[in-house]
Amino acid sequence: MDLQNYIRDIQDFPKPGIIFKDITPLLANPQATRFCVEQLLSQLQNVKIDKVIGAESRGFFFATLLAQKLNAGFVPVRKPKKLPFETIAASYDLEYGTDTLEIHKDAIKKGEKVLIHDDVLATGGTAKGMCELVENLGGEIVQCNFLMELTFLSGIEKLQPYKVFSVIKY
Ligand code: AMP
């Protein structure tokens, strides 16, 4: 199955110069969604995962599906002031300036094996921030996986030495 048929390019969204990778056609198609989950799981054979961490908001869709299949818990990482319980925060670099992510401070126990998931790996700042949050809580990162990697932005370099897998590379 060619998953690229289910990813819609939106020019200049949310701002000029960005080609936004819209996954709503993929999410609307159960066969394509199932295929995508299978591809992501293919790199996690016989690997124990305790928690799957998804990034707000498009990371949530597949992170919850993966967590179910892996018999793991799902944990959301969100923008500041969205999570109701006590949180810890990590700041990460954007093209201009910085942004912050938060996680509940009881979301991961020391030594738990963690899978990081997001829809797109672009500059890598978001995923790196998620890794920092997980490690600050004592979790161990097993892999970072993505539906798409925008290779021309070299985000993978920020994620060394973690294992990284992306279903589609642009
Ligand atoms: P980055 O931190 O630069 O790796 O950006 C990754 C985050 O921004 C992910 O949560 C993506 O959902 C979002 N993102 C970045 N670039 C795109 C894009 N071209 N299309 C869709 N989402 C994107």
Side-chain angles (χ1 to χ4, degrees):
M1 179 180 282
D2 189 355
L3 286 173
Q4 298 199 25
N5 294 335
Y6 300 90
I7 311 277
R8 181 163 52 190
D9 279 1
I10 310 286
Q11 307 285 336
D12 299 319
F13 182 88
K15 53 184 179 184
I18 305 283
I19 302 173
F20 187 85
K21 298 291 186 190
D22 175 20
I23 59 167
T24 58
L26 174 58
L27 293 168
N29 184 295
Q31 288 81 22
T33 298
R34 196 174 304 120
F35 182 73
C36 214
V37 170
E38 284 164 6
Q39 294 297 304
L40 291 164
L41 290 174
S42 71
Q43 303 303 311
L44 292 161
Q45 301 280 325
N46 305 315
V47 177
K48 180 179 152 46
I49 301 288
D50 298 303
K51 295 277 166 63
V52 181
I53 316 295
E56 180 173 354
S57 59
R58 289 177 300 279
F60 292 170
F61 305 125
F62 281 89
T64 49
L65 293 172
L66 290 171
Q68 277 291 301
K69 290 281 185 191
L70 291 164
N71 201 26
F74 164 73
V75 173
V77 159
R78 301 204 62 182
K79 303 275 164 55
K81 301 198 190 303
K82 298 275 190 181
L83 288 167
F85 185 58
E86 288 171 52
T87 57
I88 62 161
S91 291
Y92 62 99
D93 292 332
L94 297 173
E95 204 175 343
Y96 302 103
T98 61
D99 215 340
T100 301
L101 294 171
E102 292 184 349
I103 191 170
H104 275 156
K105 69 175 202 184
D106 65 348
I108 294 161
K109 295 185 191 69
K110 236 181 167 53
E112 279 191 322
K113 311 274 188 224
V114 172
L115 170 67
I116 303 278
H117 172 79
D118 203 356
D119 64 335
V120 175
L121 171 60
T123 67
T126 307
K128 184 153 191 269
M130 292 167 82
C131 292
E132 205 178 303
L133 291 172
V134 166
E135 289 186 337
N136 285 345
L137 291 176
E140 190 189 310
I141 292 151
V142 175
Q143 190 187 106
C144 302
N145 73 19
F146 305 89
L147 304 182
M148 290 166 271
E149 179 180 340
L150 308 181
T151 56
F152 50 91
L153 294 173
S154 306
I156 201 163
E157 287 169 16
K158 277 211 187 96
L159 296 182
Q160 281 175 7
Y162 306 118
K163 275 195 193 134
V164 176
F165 173 71
S166 309
V167 178
I168 307 170
K169 292 187 185 184
Y170 291 94

